[in-house]
Amino acid sequence: MTDLKSYFITTERPYTEGAVEVFEQPVSAGAAEKATLTITALGVYEAEIDGRKAGDALFAPGYTYYPRHLTCQTYDVTALLAQQSTLRVWLGQGWYCGRFTCDNKTRIYGERPAVSWVLEITAADGSTTRHTSRDADVTAVPGPYAYAGFYDGEVYDESNPQPVYPPVPFSGALPEVIEPGKITTALQETMPIQSVTKRGSVTLLDFGQNFAGLIEIDPAKMNGECLTLRHGEILNEDGSLYTANLRKAKAQIMYHKSKDNRPYRPRFTYMGFRYVELSGCDYAEGLLTAHVLHTEMPRTGYFSCENAKVQRLFDNQLWGQRSNYIEVPTDCPQRDERMGYTGDGHVFALTGAYNFDTEAFWDKFLTDIRYSQADNQEGYVAPTIPAQGSAGIGFINMLGWGNAVTILPEMLWQQYGTDRYLREQYDSMKSHVDCEIRHMGGLLGKKDLWIAPNLGDWLSPGKDVKYMAMHNGPVSNAFIVNDLRIMKETAARFGKTEDADRYGAQLEKTRDAYLKAFVKKDGSMKDDYQGAYVMALRFAVPQGELWDKMFARLVSMLRRDGIQTGFFATEHLLPLLAEHGESRLAFDLLLQENCPGWMYQIDRGATTIWERWDAIRPDGTVNEESQNGDNMVSFNHYAFGSVGEFYYRYILGIRPMEPGYSRIRVAPFVDERLGKVSGSYLSRAGEIKTAWQVENGQADLEITTPSETELILPNGERRMLQPGSYDFHCSI
Ligand code: BGC
C-alpha cells in the first residue's frame, strides 16, 4: 500500500476556525495508461483534476478515531487527466480540528489540518511516475472560503480570496494505521421543492420532508451578487423560519456569485432541514437544487399499508435513518451535535438493519469503538464514538450507551449470519464488561450492581435528569445483565470456557442482586415507572410467576397512562406486548393519538421522528426545555423510530430463526385498523414477502419465503413451509 504517512503537508496559518487550505500541483499525464490518486487527510478533503472531482465521496476520508486510525481513498483518475492538468486539493478542518461536539470545541484531534496524496501515473510501457503532496511543485493558492464548518455552514466568495500560507511538511502526530475506508458518504436523490412563499424580503422554500442534505446553487439564475440560505426544520407560528433549536449552529450558506457561473455545492458542511430561507436574491426556477446525503447502504426493507398515518410513521423512521447514518450513527443532523451516539445507534440498529443493509456501516463503527476504547483509561466505551481523545468514565456512567459494543455484534450475527463481529469485537466487549464488573465491586463481589448517577430511560415523559440520577438502577443495570448474557454465550460459542464460566457466574449473581434491589414480591418495582418494567422484563427477570405479575402491572400502567417510556424501553415496548398475548394493546399504543405517542407527531405534521415525545406540546409551543443550559429539541432524532422493529418483525412478522435467515420464522400480528398490509425484507438468504388483510374476523395472508420457514398464523396455527409462495386463510 502507498505509504501516505510520508507525505503529509499543512500550512502555518495561525488557527482560524473555518479556514480552508487549497493546494495545487501541475500534472503532466504523458501517455498515461492508468492514473490513480491515493489520498487521505486529517480534516476533510475534496480532490479535483481540472475542476472535476475525483470520486463521489463527501467529507472524505471520513470520520474515524484520528489519534489511532485514519482511512484513505484510491480513485481511478485516468479519465480526468489531460496532457497537462492541475490537481487541486481542498482541505477543510472537519471533525479533526473544526468546531464540533455539543460543547462547541475546536481542535479536538489536532491543531491544524493536513493532507497526504500520491498520484501514480502508469504509461503504456509499464513505467510509472509519482506525484506526491511533498513534491516541490505543490503550491497553496488563494481560496474562496471565508468560512467552512459543519455547524455554521460556508461563506464562499471568490472575489475576496483568503490569504495564502505555503505548504509545509506536517509535524503533528500521525495515527499508526492508515487503511482504505469501508464506507462512503455521498449525495443521493434530489429533493423536489414543494412550495415557494415570498415573505417580505425573503423567500421560504418547503421541501415537504425533513432530511439531511445540501443545497446546490446555480449562479446563472441569480439576480443579485450574493445570496444567503438559512436552514430550519419547522416554522414559527407567523410562518417565519424557526432556528432556536439549532443552538450555536448557524446552519447558513452565504454565497457570492462566481464569475464563471460554475454551480456551487457546499463541500465542508451538511444540514438537517425541511425549510430553506433564501435572501439576497429572488427565487428563480433552477436556482436551488436540494440533494439528500447519507452513507451509502443498499435498501432492503419495504412496508406499505392502507392506514396513511401508520404508513407515514414507517416513512418517518426511514427518513430518520437516511438523515443520521452519516459516517457515524448521529443523534441528529441539524444542531451543534451530530455526534456518533452509541445509545441512539443501538436502539435503532435492528430497525435500521431491516431498512438497509448496514453491515459495512457497523463494521466501520465497531472499528471506531475499538480504537476509541484503547484510549479510555478504564477500557470503557464512551457515549459518543469516535471518542474525543483519551478520557475516563466521568461522573455519569452512561450505562445504556456504550453497551452498543455487545448489542451490535450480536444483532449483526442474527441479521446477517456472520459471527465475524462477535469475534473481532470480543476483546473490546470484554474490556467494557470487565470495567462494569470492577464498578460492581469486582467479580462476584459484594455489590453485583453498578449504582451511580445515570440518565436511565432517557427522555421518559415527566422523568427529568434529577429523577433519573436517583432512579436509573433498573434500566442501567438491565444493560449489564444483557452484557453478561452476551459475554457468557459468546465465550461459550468460541470455546472460551473460562470466560463463559466467569461471566455466567456473574450473570447469576447480578440477576439475583437486581431482583433484590429493584423488584418487590408482588411484582411491583421500587422505581415504579414503565421503562423500569420494560427493561427488567426484557433483560433481567427470568420467566415465571414473578415475571407474569410484573408484566400484568406494566399492562395496567399502559392502559391507565398510555406510553411513558424513553429511548431505551420504547424499543422493546410493543414487541414485549405482542409476544405475550397483548398485541391488541400494542396496536392501540401504536395508533394512539394523544401525547406521548407516535401518531401525535404525525398529526402535527412530523416527517421524521422527534427527539422528545412532546417536541411540540399539545398547546402548539416548541418544548425548548434546557439541558445543560441550552435547549434540546430536535425534529430528526431516530431513537423513537425503533418502532420500525414492530413493523418488520411483528406486523410483517419477519425474523430469523437461525442467524442470517438460513431458517426463517414468519409470524404476522394482524389488526384490521391497518387495512391491507404488505412488505418485504431482502435477507441474506433471499427476499421474504408477507401481505395480509383482515375483514370481519377473517384473515387472508400471502407469504413468499426463500428458506425453510416456520409460519405462525394469526390464529396460532403452526405450519412448516419450504421455499416458495403461499396463500392462507384463517379465522381470528
Ligand atoms: C443527544 C442524544 C443522546 C443524549 C445523551 C443528547 O444531547 O442528542 O440523543 O443520547 O444527549 O447524553
Side-chain angles (χ1 to χ4, degrees):
M1 242 224 72
T2 313
D3 182 20
L4 286 169
K5 276 191 201 168
S6 316
Y7 304 109
F8 276 91
I9 55 167
T10 183
T11 74
E12 285 174 340
R13 185 189 303 277
Y15 183 81
T16 322
E17 190 213 321
V20 173
E21 307 295 347
V22 191
F23 298 111
E24 285 190 355
Q25 181 170 38
V27 178
S28 46
E33 234 340 64
K34 187 167 172 100
T36 55
L37 174 67
T38 301
I39 177 167
T40 188
L42 293 165
V44 290
Y45 77 81
E46 281 199 13
E48 288 173 356
I49 291 174
D50 300 332
R52 288 198 287 158
K53 183 169 152 59
D56 58 3
L58 297 174
F59 319 128
Y63 185 21
T64 54
Y65 184 63
Y66 303 121
R68 288 176 180 269
H69 182 227
L70 186 64
T71 50
C72 63
Q73 286 73 35
T74 296
Y75 307 107
D76 183 339
V77 292
T78 321
L80 301 183
L81 279 180
Q83 273 299 320
Q84 289 297 327
S85 288
T86 304
L87 167 68
R88 181 183 297 150
V89 176
W90 307 86
L91 176 64
Q93 298 170 333
W95 298 283
Y96 181 74
C97 60
R99 201 169 99 236
F100 187 55
T101 76
C102 47
D103 298 322
N104 281 271
K105 290 191 212 150
T106 60
R107 288 166 280 187
I108 294 172
Y109 301 101
E111 287 298 311
R112 52 187 70 245
V115 63
S116 172
W117 72 79
V118 174
L119 174 59
E120 193 164 87
I121 299 176
T122 310
D125 63 4
S127 61
T128 59
T129 340
R130 293 181 113 207
H131 300 264
T132 82
S133 38
R134 283 279 180 96
D135 292 353
D137 58 358
V138 173
T139 54
V141 299
Y145 289 96
Y147 182 92
F150 279 121
Y151 296 157
D152 284 357
E154 294 185 354
V155 179
Y156 187 94
D157 186 358
E158 290 176 7
S159 63
N160 194 9
Q162 298 303 303
V164 170
Y165 289 81
V168 294
F170 177 69
S171 57
L174 292 178
E176 198 174 305
V177 183
I178 303 181
E179 60 182 357
K182 291 172 176 160
I183 59 170
T184 304
T185 297
L187 296 183
Q188 308 295 318
E189 64 264 51
T190 56
M191 192 59 105
I193 299 170
Q194 300 295 329
S195 75
V196 179
T197 314
K198 188 97 186 125
R199 287 181 49 84
S201 60
V202 305
T203 308
L204 206 67
L205 309 184
D206 179 3
F207 294 91
Q209 174 63 55
N210 201 349
F211 65 104
L214 288 174
I215 302 280
E216 185 174 330
I217 301 170
D218 182 356
K221 305 277 167 48
M222 284 172 69
N223 70 349
E225 283 310 303
C226 173
L227 64 76
T228 301
L229 303 175
R230 297 200 308 140
H231 303 70
E233 293 183 288
I234 58 167
L235 300 179
N236 292 308
E237 224 171 292
D238 67 357
S240 59
L241 191 73
Y242 172 87
T243 56
N245 70 332
L246 306 180
R247 304 195 302 215
K248 294 191 183 67
K250 282 196 194 126
Q252 183 172 302
I253 299 292
M254 195 182 279
Y255 172 74
H256 296 257
K257 191 169 162 45
S258 64
K259 281 198 206 76
D260 62 4
N261 275 348
R262 271 173 67 87
Y264 156 89
R265 171 204 34 94
R267 287 193 172 91
F268 301 105
T269 186
Y270 69 92
M271 307 291 173
F273 62 103
R274 168 176 167 171
Y275 299 94
V276 162
E277 182 203 84
L278 162 71
S279 59
C281 273
D282 289 327
Y283 176 75
E285 181 84 27
L287 171 66
L288 306 175
T289 307
H291 299 273
V292 173
L293 69 84
H294 55 77
T295 293
E296 297 199 311
M297 309 168 280
R299 176 88 186 267
T300 46
Y302 296 86
F303 175 89
S304 69
C305 78
E306 285 178 332
N307 182 317
K309 290 185 192 175
V310 173
Q311 181 67 48
R312 184 69 240 189
L313 178 61
F314 177 84
D315 298 343
N316 288 7
Q317 63 77 26
L318 196 69
W319 276 107
Q321 182 168 10
R322 290 191 181 111
S323 314
N324 285 297
Y325 276 39
I326 297 179
E327 286 295 313
V328 292
T330 62
D331 52 336
C332 55
Q334 73 299 81
R335 69 179 177 220
D336 51 354
E337 201 140 10
R338 317 183 193 181
M339 298 159 73
Y341 271 100
T342 45
D344 307 41
H346 78 70
V347 300
F348 186 80
L350 184 52
T351 294
Y354 277 95
N355 289 329
F356 293 92
D357 186 330
T358 55
E359 186 183 344
F361 181 79
W362 290 123
D363 182 3
K364 183 259 177 201
F365 190 68
L366 288 168
T367 309
D368 295 337
I369 289 183
R370 290 198 294 276
Y371 282 112
S372 300
Q373 193 182 13
D375 283 339
N376 185 284
Q377 288 138 25
E378 301 198 51
Y380 199 60
V381 176
T384 62
I385 296 288
Q388 288 98 57
S390 58
I393 291 181
F395 177 62
I396 299 180
N397 65 21
M398 297 301 280
L399 273 172
W401 274 262
N403 309 75
V405 72
T406 56
I407 294 169
L408 293 171
E410 185 180 61
M411 182 283 283
L412 292 169
W413 174 43
Q414 289 299 317
Q415 197 71 358
Y416 300 128
T418 169
D419 64 7
R420 196 186 119 199
Y421 304 100
L422 283 167
R423 206 181 291 276
E424 282 181 3
Q425 208 70 22
Y426 189 80
D427 290 342
S428 152
M429 291 159 59
K430 210 173 142 167
S431 154
H432 184 80
V433 177
D434 286 350
C435 174
E436 290 174 342
I437 292 175
R438 284 197 300 281
H439 283 270
M440 299 195 297
L443 189 72
L444 312 180
K446 280 198 222 88
K447 293 189 282 177
D448 300 309
L449 295 172
W450 188 354
I451 305 295
N454 179 277
L455 301 178
D457 193 17
W458 180 235
L459 299 187
S460 301
K463 302 276 183 288
D464 61 7
V465 175
K466 247 200 216 143
Y467 174 90
M468 279 300 181
M470 304 301 293
H471 302 275
N472 67 78
V475 174
S476 46
N477 284 277
F479 281 105
I480 298 185
V481 176
N482 188 46
D483 281 349
L484 291 167
R485 177 199 54 84
I486 295 175
M487 282 316 296
K488 176 189 153 184
E489 290 173 10
T490 309
R493 176 175 179 76
F494 296 142
K496 298 176 191 282
T497 335
E498 210 181 294
D499 279 359
D501 291 347
R502 217 160 63 86
Y503 294 115
Q506 185 61 57
L507 174 63
E508 295 307 313
K509 282 208 75 184
T510 297
R511 266 205 190 122
D512 287 350
Y514 186 101
L515 288 175
K516 238 181 248 146
F518 307 126
V519 187
K520 298 190 207 160
K521 291 218 163 52
D522 65 356
S524 64
M525 293 187 76
K526 288 179 196 150
D527 300 304
D528 197 41
Y529 57 95
Q530 288 182 11
Y533 285 85
V534 172
M535 299 306 283
L537 291 165
R538 202 56 165 172
F539 295 120
V541 181
Q543 295 274 329
E545 215 181 301
L546 185 64
W547 195 99
D548 293 344
K549 281 193 213 160
M550 292 174 72
F551 183 69
R553 176 142 178 87
L554 171 67
V555 167
S556 67
M557 285 166 106
L558 287 163
R559 292 223 160 91
R560 188 187 65 206
D561 307 326
I563 301 170
Q564 298 291 327
T565 47
F567 269 32
F568 296 125
T570 299
E571 181 193 356
H572 305 291
L573 182 63
L574 304 189
L576 196 63
L577 294 174
E579 278 169 25
H580 296 277
E582 291 289 349
S583 66
R584 183 74 190 184
L585 177 58
F587 279 105
D588 288 349
L589 295 175
L590 176 73
L591 297 169
Q592 167 194 310
E593 306 226 330
N594 52 335
C595 185
W598 289 282
M599 295 305 144
Y600 170 83
Q601 306 185 4
I602 306 287
D603 287 341
R604 272 146 201 83
T607 60
T608 38
I609 306 284
W610 296 349
E611 176 176 26
R612 295 178 182 276
W613 285 117
D614 60 348
I616 295 177
R617 297 196 189 90
D619 68 4
T621 57
V622 177
N623 181 355
E624 290 174 351
E625 205 177 299
S626 98
Q627 208 54 247
N628 290 330
D630 225 338
N631 77 51
M632 195 190 80
V633 55
S634 139
F635 294 90
N636 200 354
H637 248 65
Y638 56 38
F640 289 134
S642 61
V643 68
E645 248 174 89
F646 186 69
Y647 280 74
Y648 287 111
R649 291 167 77 93
Y650 299 86
I651 304 179
L652 297 176
I654 299 171
R655 62 162 75 191
M657 198 150 83
E658 296 288 341
Y661 293 79
S662 55
R663 291 177 72 226
I664 299 172
R665 190 181 146 98
V666 174
F669 287 86
V670 301
D671 191 297
E672 69 285 356
R673 290 170 285 181
L674 268 56
K676 266 192 204 156
V677 169
S678 65
S680 62
Y681 171 58
L682 181 58
S683 76
R684 288 293 158 84
E687 191 174 39
I688 306 150
K689 288 201 241 175
T690 68
W692 55 255
Q693 187 175 11
V694 182
E695 249 166 11
N696 308 322
Q698 301 293 310
D700 286 304
L701 292 97
E702 289 166 35
I703 315 282
T704 301
T705 177
S707 0
E708 195 194 344
T709 295
E710 178 188 63
L711 170 71
I712 310 289
L713 288 167
N715 63 1
E717 261 175 57
R718 180 175 170 274
R719 306 274 169 89
M720 285 313 291
L721 309 179
Q722 293 310 311
S725 295
Y726 303 87
D727 289 335
F728 294 95
H729 179 86
C730 66
S731 312
I732 46 168

